[in-house]
Amino acid sequence: MTRQLDQEVEPAVTPADPPAPNAARRVLHAIGPGNLSLIGALIVVVAIFGSLNSGFLDLANLAGIGEAVTVFGLLAVVQTVIIICGALDISVGSQAGIASVVSAMAFTATGSNAFVGILAALGVGIVVGAVNGLIIVYGRVNPVIATLATLAAYKGLAQLISGGKAQGFVLDNDLFIFIARGKIAGLPVPIIILAVVALGMHILLKYTDIGRNIYAIGGNDTAARLAGININKYLIAVFMLAGVVSAIAGIILTARTGSGQPVSGSEGLELKAITAAALGGCALKGGKGTIGGTLLAVVLLGALDNGLNVVGVNTFWQNVAQGTLLVAAVVIQQRRSGERAVGLPA
């Protein structure tokens, strides 16, 4: 006789869903820990210089900071794309210089036709960017060495075609005046140009297959090649993009100064662009970086430069500060990556 035992069947326990992150955590995740440190540094810089000189916080001065960073901000944004791709372009400042000269000279040669001057500058930007890419890809030259060489070459070319002097005068033209001093919805045109270019780069990197491939190339070029990505084509295209954006920076430089500047307005911009990209979180070995972080670093550098000027610090200290920030950014990246320091035991 079998006895049937009544067994109580316990209901299955489903694991509770993890609590949804609150709004504050979502915001912090979206900003990123690296960007939070930049925001904190920016707040400290603003607080220090604002306390030392009340004029630092004037709206006119803050707007001046925004306009002052547009040229090197454009170069920093496109430098971010290049670094993410695993390369580096040291010649962007010289590219801006030669585009500035060409825009002014074409403007003068065509009887003050601003559109021809702008198109000529953009065309030169495409050519010099393509030259960089072709040297790197088909000459099998390291990007740092290749663009170090073209840095000197483009600078010399700008001086040759201009005779080493500022060329033309564009401030009697409505379009160049609008680029330099115009406003749209209360915002200066150069700031709007920087915002549009930065937004375009952000969308390219984050929401397109092209952007994902750029990250893949910088992260592991061997895996990217095995996945079927044409690395050579991407490198040439990225350097051509750098040439176009550098040309836009050169056009703004021409409009702002009123003439084509072979060297004086563009010298040193490449260091500031690389510093901003590194501070913004770009890994110099590639595969990592964001446009938002770079823009925050651009604003931080602009506030630092302006603050030093406002409180009367010798302008040579700006170069010291930029170099120090670049070293600090690279050291922080090295520590976070966990890689062995060069020359030290494992």
Side-chain angles (χ1 to χ4, degrees):
M1 179 177 170
T2 59
R3 193 193 300 174
Q4 188 173 355
L5 300 177
D6 293 334
Q7 295 179 349
E8 294 183 2
V9 179
E10 297 182 358
V13 178
T14 58
D17 293 332
N22 57 31
R25 288 184 177 180
R26 285 197 297 268
V27 171
L28 291 177
H29 177 73
I31 294 173
N35 291 346
L36 279 177
S37 62
L38 283 175
I39 292 173
L42 181 59
I43 292 173
V44 170
V45 167
V46 170
I48 291 174
F49 289 121
S51 63
L52 293 175
N53 190 317
S54 59
F56 179 79
L57 296 175
D58 289 345
L59 289 178
N61 187 61
L62 295 178
I65 294 174
E67 291 188 67
V69 302
T70 50
V71 173
F72 93 83
L74 285 166
L75 302 182
V77 165
V78 78
Q79 191 74 252
T80 298
V81 179
I82 295 171
I83 292 174
I84 290 172
C85 198
L88 198 67
D89 191 345
I90 304 177
S91 69
V92 287
S94 293
Q95 292 180 57
I98 195 170
S100 174
V101 169
V102 168
S103 67
M105 293 181 70
F107 169 80
T108 303
T110 55
S112 301
N113 191 320
F115 288 103
V116 172
I118 291 172
L119 289 176
L122 293 174
V124 167
I126 292 172
V127 171
V128 297
V131 168
N132 280 346
L134 291 171
I135 291 173
I136 291 164
V137 169
Y138 294 106
R140 300 183 182 274
V141 181
N142 181 282
V144 175
I145 302 302
T147 56
L148 182 62
T150 56
L151 163 71
Y154 296 154
K155 183 185 296 185
L157 187 58
Q159 291 172 321
L160 279 173
I161 63 176
S162 65
K165 300 179 293 185
Q167 291 292 313
F169 182 76
V170 303
L171 287 185
D172 55 358
N173 179 268
D174 291 339
L175 180 55
F176 276 110
I177 292 173
F178 178 71
I179 293 173
R181 304 173 185 172
K183 291 187 177 182
I184 298 176
L187 290 175
V189 169
I191 294 178
I192 292 176
I193 293 173
L194 172 59
V196 170
V197 171
L199 179 62
M201 298 294 179
H202 173 73
I203 293 172
L204 174 73
L205 289 174
K206 190 167 184 178
Y207 299 107
T208 69
D209 290 337
I210 294 174
R212 284 185 281 274
N213 290 343
I214 288 173
Y215 276 104
I217 292 170
N220 189 325
D221 59 346
T222 302
R225 186 179 291 107
L226 293 175
I229 299 173
N230 190 327
I231 296 177
N232 290 348
K233 185 183 295 183
Y234 269 86
L235 279 174
I236 294 172
V238 164
F239 278 95
M240 290 176 68
L241 177 65
V244 171
V245 176
S246 298
I248 295 173
I251 292 166
I252 295 176
L253 182 62
T254 299
R256 181 177 294 166
T257 60
S259 59
Q261 300 293 327
V263 175
S264 61
S266 57
E267 195 164 22
L269 291 178
E270 50 281 319
L271 174 61
K272 296 185 76 170
I274 294 170
T275 301
L279 277 176
C282 284
L284 294 181
K285 62 182 181 180
K288 180 182 177 183
T290 64
I291 299 298
T294 297
L295 285 179
L296 278 173
V298 165
V299 174
L300 175 61
L301 289 172
L304 182 62
D305 287 350
N306 181 270
L308 292 173
N309 287 331
V310 167
V311 299
V313 176
N314 191 316
T315 55
F316 295 136
W317 282 105
Q318 295 177 15
N319 293 330
V320 175
Q322 290 172 24
T324 303
L325 287 172
L326 179 57
V327 170
V330 174
V331 168
I332 291 171
Q333 286 183 16
Q334 189 77 11
R335 295 300 183 186
R336 284 179 176 174
S337 67
E339 295 180 1
R340 183 176 68 86
V342 176
L344 295 179

